[in-house]
Each structure stands twice: as structure tokens, then as C-alpha cells.
Amino acid sequence: MRSRRLRSSPWWWLLLAALPWAWFPVRDGLGLVGDTLAIVLPLVVGLAVVASVALGRWWGVVTAVSLLVAGTVAVVGPWTPDDAGPVAPGRGVTVASANVTGLTSTVTPLRAADAEVLVVVENSPRIDAGLGAAYPFRVFVDGTPSVGVYSRVPVRLLEAQGPDFPGLRAAVEGRSPFVLYAMHVPRPWWTGSGSYQATPAEHHRLVEAAVARVDREPGPVVVAGDLNSTDRARDYRLLVDQGLTDAMRSGWAGPTSVTQWRLFLLRIDHLLAGPGWCGDDARRFPLPGSDHDGIAATVGPCASR
């Protein structure tokens, strides 16, 4: 009886309508719980909207609308344009990143992306051979993770992957030299065993370690790859708060995790540059058979600097 009266009270539903907006000030303080909720947020919001309408009737609609708006802001907000300014004329470098799921069918679109520097995640020797003719300089280290860097300007390996570093660190020369972090962070999962995955706590630790490495770099840095960190979670904000520009937000961004993960609306492939660097001409491109879209943008010193 008491629960029935509660469900019929407009004050109850108004309180529930305000509750979703608490997500924004408390999400980072929730730690691993917030990290997990950020991944499944679209599904949680969808279920809560249906439950509100079913249980609350007319007052439940108010809560449902508030849930829908707050959820949309949380998901779409990191996709909106946030342009740091144009790249200085003649200083830009076009960088692309793609998780190709080990499929040779992606070689043609990778070459068509026409990037000056290309990061390939879930690479393979056959893909490496297919890209060799288009790029005179390359670094490919097969292993876990399997990542390759392909470049039209000289590039040299500084550090290969290790237990605490899921990627490659390379020096890229040319008109705007930078240190490239070509990354493939394991996906956060409830268990660290099985496919290329880690517990949420381990995933967060690896991102924190990468942030510390980037902070120690004396010059410009580009971080590119499949970070398996959604842009609505704290791991993404750790990198952006490090003074890196999200080059994909020079225009509208969008989800990069497709096929079976499409409903989660996850943007987990990132292209970050800085400090003092900007991005232009951001775009996504399809990769046949892969469960990711590729990303590309021109990065370089900001024109105003």
C-alpha cells in the first residue's frame, strides 16, 4: 500500500526526474562504478525510461523525459564540436588510426585514407605487407597488442609494448616532429582472463600510467589508437585534462565501436594531440568487417601559437 501511494505521489517522480542530473558532478567520484555505468549508460537510460512510463503513468513521463534529456547530454555532449582553433598553415600532419580486427579486407580503405601517419591496431604480418608499398617508413611489432605505425616521414621506435604499456612509443620526424603513442588498451571487462581484456581497475591503472608517461614528454605528443575508454568516462577525461586536444572534436564526432557494440554508442578510438596543438578536418571512415570505424584528422601547432 505504501509503495502504491509513493508511486502516485508527484513529488516522488519530480525527485526522480532531478536525480539523473546528479550524474555529471558525481561521475568521477564514483570510481570504478562510474566507469562501468558510463559504458552501459545508453542501455541503463533506455530501461529507466521504459520503467518510469510503465510505473508512473503521467508523472512518470516527466521523469522519463528528464532521464532521456540527461542521458542524451551525457552521451552526445562529448561528440559536439569543441574546436581549439585551426592548425598553423603548412604545419599540419594528417594522422589516422584504425582497429582492423586483423582483417586484410581493411588494407584498401586504410590506403585510401591517405594519411601521412597511420596507426593500425590488431595488426598482422599480412596487413603490414599490404601497407608497405604505400609507406616508406614503418614500425610493426607483432605481439600483444599487435600495433603498427606507417609513415611518409621518418619514424623510429622509442619503446615497444610491455606489461604496463599496451602500445608503441615512436618519434615522428618531418615539418612538425612529435612523439607518437600508438595504443591499444585492453577492453574493461568483469574478468581479466580470456580475450584481450582487463578488469576495470586494471584498465584504469594502464590509462593512468599512459597519462604519466605523456606528462613527462618534453615536446608535442599525439596519442592515437583504440583506448577502449569511452569519451563519457573518467579515463578519457584524464587524457584530455592533460592538455591534449581531442582532434576529432574539430567537428562533430560520433561512435567508433560498431557491429555488435553499436547500441552502446561508444567512442573508444581516439586521436589526441598537444600541448599547444590543434586539429582540423576530423572524419570517420568504415573498415569492412571490423567492429570499429577508422578515424583521421590533421593535427599540428595551433595557428594562434
Side-chain angles (χ1 to χ4, degrees), residues 126-214:
R126 292 180 65 190
I127 294 171
D128 177 69
L131 292 171
Y135 290 95
F137 305 98
R138 67 186 193 271
V139 173
F140 171 50
V141 180
D142 200 6
T144 304
S146 183
V147 178
V149 176
Y150 303 86
S151 177
R152 291 176 182 157
V153 296
V155 59
R156 56 187 172 87
L157 181 66
L158 299 175
E159 186 177 358
Q161 68 264 44
D164 294 320
F165 183 50
L168 305 178
R169 176 172 167 263
V172 179
E173 301 176 10
R175 57 188 173 277
S176 296
F178 60 91
V179 171
L180 173 65
Y181 282 71
M183 304 289 289
H184 187 199
V185 183
R187 66 174 180 175
W189 207 249
W190 56 73
T191 173
S193 61
S195 184
Y196 188 64
Q197 59 199 33
T199 63
E202 178 65 8
H203 179 275
H204 180 64
R205 187 189 69 80
L206 290 170
V207 173
E208 282 188 316
V211 168
R213 287 171 180 268
V214 169

Side-chain angles (χ1 to χ4, degrees), residues 30-303:
L30 293 174
L32 296 177
V33 173
D35 295 343
T36 304
L37 284 174
I39 296 170
V40 298
L41 193 62
L43 298 185
V44 170
V45 169
L47 291 173
V49 166
V50 172
S52 297
V53 173
L55 297 174
R57 298 182 181 177
W58 291 111
W59 281 108
V61 171
V62 176
T63 299
V65 170
S66 180
L67 275 163
L68 193 59
V69 174
T72 300
V73 171
V75 172
V76 178
W79 301 350
T80 57
D82 186 21
D83 195 358
V87 175
R91 299 292 304 279
V93 180
T94 303
V95 179
S97 174
N99 183 326
V100 300
T101 324
L103 298 172
T104 55
S105 58
T106 60
V107 170
T108 297
L110 288 176
R111 296 178 65 166
D114 198 30
E116 293 171 83
V117 178
L118 172 66
V119 174
V120 179
V121 173
E122 294 194 23
N123 205 346
S124 73
R126 292 180 65 190
I127 294 171
D128 177 69
L131 292 171
Y135 290 95
F137 305 98
R138 67 186 193 271
V139 173
F140 171 50
V141 180
D142 200 6
T144 304
S146 183
V147 178
V149 176
Y150 303 86
S151 177
R152 291 176 182 157
V153 296
V155 59
R156 56 187 172 87
L157 181 66
L158 299 175
E159 186 177 358
Q161 68 264 44
D164 294 320
F165 183 50
L168 305 178
R169 176 172 167 263
V172 179
E173 301 176 10
R175 57 188 173 277
S176 296
F178 60 91
V179 171
L180 173 65
Y181 282 71
M183 304 289 289
H184 187 199
V185 183
R187 66 174 180 175
W189 207 249
W190 56 73
T191 173
S193 61
S195 184
Y196 188 64
Q197 59 199 33
T199 63
E202 178 65 8
H203 179 275
H204 180 64
R205 187 189 69 80
L206 290 170
V207 173
E208 282 188 316
V211 168
R213 287 171 180 268
V214 169
D215 187 49
R216 292 193 294 267
E217 296 290 349
V221 176
V222 173
V223 179
D226 176 6
L227 305 187
N228 272 310
S229 301
T230 176
D231 57 10
R232 51 184 182 258
R234 62 173 174 161
D235 288 338
Y236 165 80
R237 288 188 290 276
L238 279 176
L239 285 159
V240 173
D241 290 346
Q242 202 66 22
L244 299 180
T245 296
D246 185 343
M248 296 307 295
R249 292 184 70 183
S250 63
W252 276 89
T256 61
S257 183
V258 295
T259 63
Q260 70 267 33
W261 306 107
R262 192 179 298 275
L263 290 177
F264 290 89
L265 300 175
L266 295 169
R267 182 165 74 103
I268 57 177
D269 300 87
H270 299 290
L271 178 50
L272 312 170
W277 278 34
C278 291
D280 288 331
D281 305 320
R283 59 188 174 88
R284 289 174 288 157
F285 57 94
L287 299 166
S290 175
D291 54 2
H292 292 253
D293 281 341
I295 58 173
T298 298
V299 298
C302 298

Side-chain angles (χ1 to χ4, degrees), residues 7-27:
R7 289 201 305 268
S8 64
S9 168
W11 297 108
W12 167 252
W13 291 105
L14 287 173
L15 175 63
L16 289 180
L19 191 60
W21 297 94
W23 166 255
F24 299 98
V26 307
R27 56 189 176 182

